[in-house]
Amino acid sequence: MLMLCCWCLLAAMACIAAAGPAMEGVPWTYAEQQLWPLRWPACGGPRQSPTRLDAQLLQLGSRPQLSFAQRLHAGRVHATNTGHTLQLRLEAGGAERTAPLVTLSAEGAPLSGTYRLEQLHFHWGNASGGAGSEHQLGGRLADAEAHFVFFGSQFANGSAAARQSDGLAVLAVLLEGRGAAGPDTLRWPPLGLQGRLAALAAVGSRLTVAADLRPLAALLRRAVRSVLAYGGSLTTPPCSPVVRWLVALRPAVVPRELLRELSSSLYAAGPGRQLLHNNRRWLQVRHHRLVVQHVSFD
Ligand SMILES: *[C@@H]1O[C@H](CO)[C@@H](O)[C@H](O)[C@H]1NC(C)=O
Ligand SMILES: *[C@@H]1O[C@H](CO)[C@@H](O)[C@H](O)[C@H]1NC(C)=O
């Protein structure tokens, strides 16, 4: 036992020694997240995500505004298995191909400035279902969680923005595979991916599908009407504490088959051939961070 622990410590120290200044390409796994702070000190810092959230201080009427490119009906979805998640980049049709697809802006609360959507990606559990979300809302984890990653429009891209305080804004939507959609739930749109995830089995594989993006725009519009906002971090290394989090209070219902497909089709980065599942970071201590609920009725 003692030998084993010494070995762990030595292995961890060797890892630190091997980590140079350029750590963005350093491999990591969810199974070893207790080691993240050794290589990426911010992962052990005070402003980390995800965290437990419950309804807090209420602010009525202030919420971010969303704007969308016009040709969303002729959109495309570029999907990638990054080895840690399924990442989607969206593209509007026709001449608007290079215009910002979704823009989020607000003045003062719950964030300040204009942000552009860069990508969205997912965190999920395993084929036995349950507990795949990162944030815990009202005392429970959801089946999965979607993160819409926006970067401050004054930056060239997401990586440049991730070096600045509040450079990123992430809208999180919790996903539930159980139950029927009620008046308060959102409905996750198909996006042309269901039944096709086997094409993304290998790490680094890509798939482009044509999809009508208007249902996704409708979901985003409803999601931002009621959010819990707090200051946190990336939930993957290097855990940069630069994210304004907006967690939608309404979950979205997804088909159970899509969740099953997600947790059994993709393989993960790392040694051996491991399924990509349970790709969620553990809950982090909230400390004294304020969580504000923003609600609007328009
Ligand atoms: C699924 O994940 C849960 C929670 O992490 C774990 O307890 C369970 O053993 C896993 N099941 C399978 C089949 O991997
Ligand atoms: C992001 O922008 C920075 C600064 O302009 C640039 O150096 C870098 O290459 C860009 N990265 C990507 C992935 O485009």
Side-chain angles (χ1 to χ4, degrees), residues 163-212:
R163 294 192 190 93
Q164 305 294 324
S165 173
D166 290 351
L168 301 176
V170 182
L171 174 64
V173 178
L174 300 182
L175 304 175
E176 295 285 11
R178 71 195 98 210
D184 253 12
T185 48
L186 312 171
R187 206 175 272 281
W188 187 262
L191 296 177
L193 289 168
Q194 199 168 333
R196 305 179 71 172
L197 294 181
L200 292 167
V203 175
S205 53
R206 292 161 189 271
L207 173 70
T208 294
V209 295
D212 184 347

Side-chain angles (χ1 to χ4, degrees), residues 104-191:
L104 180 70
S105 58
E107 285 180 18
L111 63 146
S112 190
T114 300
Y115 292 78
R116 291 176 177 192
L117 180 67
E118 182 174 56
Q119 43 98 349
L120 65 139
H121 62 260
F122 304 88
H123 300 271
W124 60 86
N126 60 28
S128 3
S133 73
E134 294 209 302
H135 285 93
Q136 180 183 310
L137 203 54
R140 61 179 295 271
L141 295 166
D143 291 339
E145 185 167 332
H147 288 163
F148 293 84
V149 181
F150 293 80
F151 64 95
S153 61
Q154 69 270 40
F155 303 106
N157 53 48
S159 359
R163 294 192 190 93
Q164 305 294 324
S165 173
D166 290 351
L168 301 176
V170 182
L171 174 64
V173 178
L174 300 182
L175 304 175
E176 295 285 11
R178 71 195 98 210
D184 253 12
T185 48
L186 312 171
R187 206 175 272 281
W188 187 262
L191 296 177

